[in-house]
Amino acid sequence: MKPTKKSVQNSWLPLVGYDLVFKVDSSMRGSSGSTSIGDVLRNVNGKFLCLFSLNVDTDRPVVAEILVIHKTCILISSCPFLAYRNISIMSDSNVAVSWINGMLSHVNLLYDIRQILLSRHSLAVTFTSRGANSLTDCLAKAGANLEGDRLEWSL
């Protein structure tokens, strides 16, 4: 028996307590590196009131989602028609929504890291491939079995 794909309903369901809903999304094309964002504004009856789409300069999905939410917020704040309306912005990126709503539990750590990086001109955080990180991967796994911290110097 072949597995069947479940179709996702694209019906309009208004949110209770909101007059208007922006649904936002981003799209990335694999090899071309092209990224675009867009949103749709509907009222409680599902009538289209506004839509936009544009290309953006990022290759990270979560950044694209944050950009579309940002552009939508700018649009809302610049449109008198939307000034006193109850509006919901809906995104399918749980990470972006969590970061924006302050649910990133380590935001203070990120701020501290950035402050330290800015204060030291000879310090940087860079990316390395997983294969080049095997020793530290082993140390991280070993840390799960420790009570307390492990710090060793060999100078």
Side-chain angles (χ1 to χ4, degrees):
M1 175 185 280
K2 271 186 157 180
T4 59
K5 287 186 179 178
K6 230 180 191 178
S7 66
V8 177
Q9 291 282 341
N10 197 13
S11 62
W12 174 246
L13 296 173
L15 293 174
V16 176
Y18 294 95
D19 302 331
L20 305 170
V21 175
F22 272 103
K23 286 197 175 180
V24 301
D25 204 2
S26 63
S27 175
M28 302 183 85
R29 290 194 184 164
S31 61
S32 71
S34 174
T35 306
S36 57
I37 58 175
D39 77 5
V40 173
L41 174 64
R42 291 184 180 187
N43 66 13
V44 293
N45 299 318
K47 179 181 176 187
F48 290 97
L49 301 176
C50 178
L51 54 88
F52 81 75
S53 64
L54 62 132
N55 289 324
V56 293
D57 184 27
T58 185
D59 61 352
R60 302 199 46 210
V62 71
V63 173
E65 285 288 329
I66 291 170
L67 285 170
V68 72
I69 293 168
H70 179 257
K71 292 282 188 189
T72 301
C73 288
I74 297 298
L75 178 64
I76 291 168
S77 65
S78 66
C79 182
F81 166 74
L82 302 174
Y84 299 102
R85 307 295 296 265
N86 292 325
I87 302 169
S88 174
I89 300 172
M90 299 177 74
S91 167
D92 63 358
S93 172
N94 192 34
V95 172
V97 171
S98 295
W99 287 4
I100 289 167
N101 287 326
M103 293 178 204
L104 179 63
S105 59
H106 304 297
V107 72
N108 289 335
L109 293 175
L110 294 173
Y111 177 78
D112 288 346
I113 291 167
R114 288 184 187 133
Q115 289 302 107
I116 292 167
L117 290 171
L118 289 171
S119 70
R120 304 264 320 256
H121 72 280
S122 61
L123 181 62
V125 176
T126 58
F127 172 79
T128 186
S129 67
R130 187 176 301 263
N133 214 20
S134 59
L135 177 59
T136 43
D137 183 54
C138 288
L139 286 169
K141 288 176 181 172
N145 299 322
L146 293 177
E147 290 182 24
D149 297 341
R150 175 181 182 174
L151 175 63
E152 297 178 26
W153 292 90
S154 175
L155 301 174

